[in-house]
Amino acid sequence: MLDKIAFMETLHSVQEVARTSLTPLSKEEIQTYFKDMELTKEQEEMVYQYLLHPQEETVSESEDEPEAENEEENGAENGTENGAEAERAVSARFQMYLDELGDIPVISKEQEALLYEKLAQGEEQAIAELSTQWLKQVVEIASSYKADELLLDDMVQEGNIGLLMGLQSLLGKEESNPKKILEQFVKEAIENYAEEESGEGEQENSILAKVSLVHEAKETLAKELGSEPSIRQLAEYTRIPEEEIADIVSLAKEVKKGE
């Protein structure tokens, strides 16, 4: 059975790495962080959908435009243009996602009830089938929070992860109202994300996520190498800058001395 707490801690640790990395994480790199959790194919795919954000290349409408006399003003204009381009890229990607959801066939109430029965009986395939049926509802729930499109895209992804965790928690269990339980998981995931985005505890969560990731990396690399990993090896493994790794390692030593 998947350790939900460890899974979510690792997921958000890797999310922090993905946000600060100069290049997108590959599927192979993502797999290394979850290799000890024995995820099912459905769980792996959900993780990939959550973490893999293709970076759109932006192209200027005119390459022959004269340079701005004031570099500061030019930088501000470029920042605005890049922000607008990023928003359009997210909007286009999110619209494609919504279009794909429109192709999902609607099942009958009897078929849906049968899937919940299979889930209660411990059949993992029911997780994939039910998650597909729930994707539209996750969008509806996220949309009810009236966020802008950039934030809505992320809220839907958080809701999908909450859905996965809810389905996993119901696997092999008889519940009188599984739909209500799944809805609670989705809403909780979205609300937690919205709270973090509002700035409450965001910096603290980011630091804790990196500390957790470095700790896990040290243990994993120590097993593979047979010795304590270096700062550079930890930086290469976690994709966190060496300076930050050094600070985290130093902080961990100070904490250990004070215990």
Side-chain angles (χ1 to χ4, degrees):
M1 183 67 69
L2 181 66
D3 185 329
K4 291 186 291 185
I5 295 178
F7 173 78
M8 292 305 292
E9 286 180 349
T10 302
L11 182 66
H12 286 98
S13 296
V14 179
Q15 179 193 35
E16 182 61 30
V17 173
R19 282 177 174 171
T20 57
S21 176
L22 296 177
T23 57
L25 296 177
S26 67
K27 283 191 175 183
E28 290 72 22
E29 287 173 317
I30 292 173
Q31 284 177 344
T32 61
Y33 295 111
F34 295 91
K35 63 182 180 181
D36 295 328
M37 294 190 183
E38 298 181 355
L39 301 182
T40 65
K41 290 183 178 180
E42 292 78 16
Q43 291 166 345
E44 286 183 354
E45 191 56 38
M46 191 72 78
V47 168
Y48 297 148
Q49 289 179 18
Y50 177 78
L51 292 172
L52 295 180
H53 298 282
Q55 296 182 353
E56 304 287 341
E57 292 186 2
T58 58
V59 180
S60 173
E61 292 181 2
S62 172
E63 295 180 356
D64 299 324
E65 290 182 1
E67 292 184 4
E69 293 181 4
N70 188 313
E71 289 184 6
E72 204 170 294
E73 181 181 333
N74 190 35
E77 289 177 357
N78 287 339
T80 302
E81 289 175 5
N82 290 340
E85 287 289 345
E87 187 169 352
R88 284 195 290 271
V90 170
S91 179
R93 185 175 70 242
F94 189 52
Q95 187 57 53
M96 287 178 61
Y97 176 74
L98 296 179
D99 291 342
E100 290 174 0
L101 295 188
D103 296 330
I104 297 175
V106 179
I107 63 175
S108 66
K109 290 184 178 180
E110 290 76 15
Q111 290 173 312
E112 183 183 52
L114 180 59
L115 287 176
Y116 282 117
E117 286 180 18
K118 290 182 177 179
L119 184 68
Q121 292 167 3
E123 296 185 28
E124 290 199 355
Q125 181 59 32
I127 291 180
E129 296 180 44
L130 280 169
S131 65
T132 299
Q133 291 299 315
W134 261 82
L135 292 178
K136 292 180 184 178
Q137 192 166 340
V138 171
V139 173
E140 291 177 4
I141 294 173
S143 299
S144 69
Y145 289 86
K146 303 185 185 306
D148 61 61
E149 196 157 27
L150 275 169
L151 185 58
L152 180 60
D153 185 8
D154 289 335
M155 289 170 73
V156 168
Q157 292 182 68
E158 289 287 342
N160 286 341
I161 292 298
L163 171 64
L164 173 63
M165 300 310 298
L167 288 167
Q168 189 68 43
S169 72
L170 292 173
L171 187 64
K173 293 181 181 178
E174 288 281 355
E175 295 287 352
S176 59
N177 195 344
K179 295 175 71 172
K180 185 66 175 178
I181 293 174
L182 291 178
E183 184 178 337
Q184 290 172 345
F185 268 89
V186 172
K187 286 184 175 181
E188 183 178 346
I190 291 173
E191 288 169 3
N192 287 342
Y193 173 75
E195 184 177 318
E196 288 179 8
E197 282 300 299
S198 70
E200 297 177 15
E202 185 175 354
Q203 184 176 3
E204 181 181 352
N205 288 337
S206 174
I207 295 172
L208 289 175
K210 289 183 179 181
V211 170
S212 174
L213 185 60
V214 170
H215 176 71
E216 182 182 331
K218 285 184 68 176
E219 291 187 343
T220 301
L221 288 175
K223 290 179 182 177
E224 293 179 357
L225 302 172
S227 60
E228 189 79 6
S230 65
I231 297 295
R232 176 175 293 182
Q233 288 171 324
L234 287 170
E236 290 175 352
Y237 185 87
T238 62
R239 297 167 70 98
I240 297 175
E242 289 187 31
E243 294 79 7
E244 284 192 56
I245 294 287
D247 289 341
I248 291 172
V249 171
S250 176
L251 177 62
K253 288 181 179 178
E254 289 298 322
V255 172
K256 194 170 184 180
K257 285 181 181 178
E259 290 179 349

